[in-house]
Amino acid sequence: MVTAKTKINIIIGDPVEHSISPQLHNLAYQHHKLDKDFIYLACRVKKTQLKQAIAGAKALGINGITCTIPHKVNVIKYLDKIDKTAKQIGAVNTILNKNGKLIGYNTDWYGIEAPLKKRITLKDKTAAVLGAGGAARAVCYALAKNKIKITVFNRTLEKAKQLASDFKAEYKSINEKHLLKSYDIVINATPVGMYPNIKDSLLTPKDIAKDQIIFDIVYTPYETQLLKNAKKAEAKIIYGFEMLLYQAILQFKIYTNQTPDEDFLRTQLYKLLKIK
Ligand code: ATR
């Protein structure tokens, strides 16, 4: 039951109606008997209204503000402090109101690190990152933090070069896919294969090595064409779902100061995404 003391967390984006975050977080609040303490709502905020929305949230004493498309980068200039990780990634997806000061965090990198760490020891491994956009930056941060040797493969070479220089990585054109088999880990950080273009994949089974880890950050559909191809090549696969789950776990911790029940969140997320 909500009271006058209940802290409010929100997600802002445009569009935001499709977001499953309110359901996921509120279910977790109930599960952890925190639903008197926290509530999580969605607010559609236009790009042109971001400044006012952040000022308003601050004035209202909103506890947490999750940022999704198109606000993750633009919001930075309206915050009081940006944590080191978010600064390096260059994007904020989680804002905590600490005694009236808005502090920006990024939890996307944890969605990459945690699933990888569950499977292998990361030190001294090699990884190829496909793509050089915002998502690829969070991927590179997680890899660099774990001393993985990174090569960025991108369609636009100039963007690959920029990203690579920020994370002491190498870079190559995506046309050089024949090189990918030699990496321990390949992560797709492009939207290729995302619904509705579910037949698309940057790699065929022939481009993938047996026992290599293939991680696709695309989670709609649950099993992308890339991951189907990786299965055919007998690679080890990591679903984009895992990234979604672990970034939410870290976000829950930041907003509530408590560690959520991972299995509960996993089950609820499966249900919300209608994964069979
Ligand atoms: P996000 O913030 O989600 O990472 P983005 O910044 O638009 O989105 O970046 C998308 C990345 O996917 C880019 O690296 C893009 O390549 P370019 O830099 O050449 O534009 C890559 N990408 C998108 N569609 C692609 C496609 N069909 N083939 C190869 N790469 C693609």
Side-chain angles (χ1 to χ4, degrees):
M1 176 66 165
V2 169
T3 72
K5 287 186 186 163
T6 305
K7 291 183 174 171
I8 304 169
N9 296 323
I10 58 173
I11 176 166
I12 59 168
D14 187 18
V16 80
E17 293 75 13
H18 65 281
S19 173
I20 52 165
S21 292
Q23 283 152 290
L24 184 68
H25 285 261
N26 286 318
L27 283 164
Y29 297 157
Q30 274 173 20
H31 179 73
H32 289 282
K33 303 206 173 10
L34 288 170
D35 49 327
K36 234 170 54 188
D37 305 304
F38 296 99
I39 188 166
Y40 193 116
L41 304 163
C43 301
R44 184 169 187 170
V45 173
K46 285 189 207 141
K47 214 171 169 173
T48 52
Q49 301 262 287
L50 181 63
K51 187 178 178 182
Q52 291 93 319
I54 294 298
K58 195 172 175 177
L60 292 169
I62 301 290
N63 176 67
I65 310 164
T66 302
C67 297
T68 185
I69 289 172
H71 304 314
K72 285 188 181 187
V73 177
N74 295 334
V75 78
I76 291 177
K77 56 179 173 287
Y78 305 125
L79 304 181
D80 298 301
K81 201 179 144 194
I82 313 296
D83 117 296
K84 237 168 100 185
T85 297
K87 211 177 262 176
Q88 239 179 302
I89 295 172
V92 160
N93 72 335
T94 303
I95 302 164
L96 182 69
N97 186 339
K98 251 190 207 164
N99 307 319
K101 296 261 182 272
L102 297 185
I103 312 196
Y105 298 90
N106 186 302
T107 66
D108 287 335
W109 67 275
Y110 187 67
I112 300 297
E113 180 189 83
L116 283 173
K117 271 194 170 169
K118 274 198 151 181
R119 281 168 183 78
I120 51 165
T121 326
L122 299 186
K123 199 170 170 287
D124 298 326
K125 292 288 190 298
T126 60
V129 177
L130 313 182
R137 281 194 78 85
V139 171
C140 284
Y141 176 85
L143 299 175
K145 180 175 175 280
N146 286 284
K147 311 229 170 347
I148 292 177
K149 272 192 72 187
I150 309 167
T151 307
V152 176
F153 287 76
N154 198 45
R155 187 173 58 180
T156 311
L157 206 55
E158 196 48 42
K159 275 171 79 180
K161 186 179 176 182
Q162 180 62 52
L163 178 60
S165 80
D166 290 349
F167 290 95
K168 296 192 177 70
E170 292 182 16
Y171 67 95
K172 297 196 183 297
S173 159
I174 195 87
N175 295 330
E176 298 197 68
K177 316 183 175 171
H178 57 279
L179 300 174
L180 291 172
K181 274 187 168 178
S182 68
Y183 292 85
D184 297 310
I185 304 160
V186 176
I187 304 182
N188 175 42
T190 78
V192 178
M194 191 186 289
Y195 181 82
N197 305 312
I198 61 171
K199 292 273 178 250
D200 294 352
S201 167
L202 285 174
L203 309 182
T204 67
K206 274 193 278 179
D207 303 318
I208 299 166
K210 187 171 181 283
D211 293 330
Q212 187 173 38
I213 290 187
I214 305 288
F215 190 168
D216 195 345
I217 69 160
V218 174
Y219 65 90
T220 52
Y222 179 68
E223 189 161 291
T224 59
Q225 188 60 48
L226 171 64
L227 293 179
K228 284 186 176 140
N229 293 348
K231 269 185 170 176
K232 271 188 205 144
E234 294 179 64
K236 296 174 187 144
I237 65 168
I238 303 181
Y239 293 100
F241 174 88
E242 299 293 313
M243 180 181 181
L244 194 66
L245 172 67
Y246 285 98
Q247 72 74 28
I249 286 175
L250 183 55
Q251 188 167 80
F252 185 98
K253 279 189 197 169
I254 291 173
Y255 289 158
T256 66
N257 217 6
Q258 298 202 35
T259 304
D261 175 346
E262 186 178 317
D263 288 338
F264 175 81
L265 279 189
R266 182 181 288 280
T267 309
Q268 297 310 318
L269 203 49
Y270 265 120
K271 281 189 200 161
L272 291 168
L273 291 173
K274 301 187 173 64
I275 296 165
K276 301 209 173 66

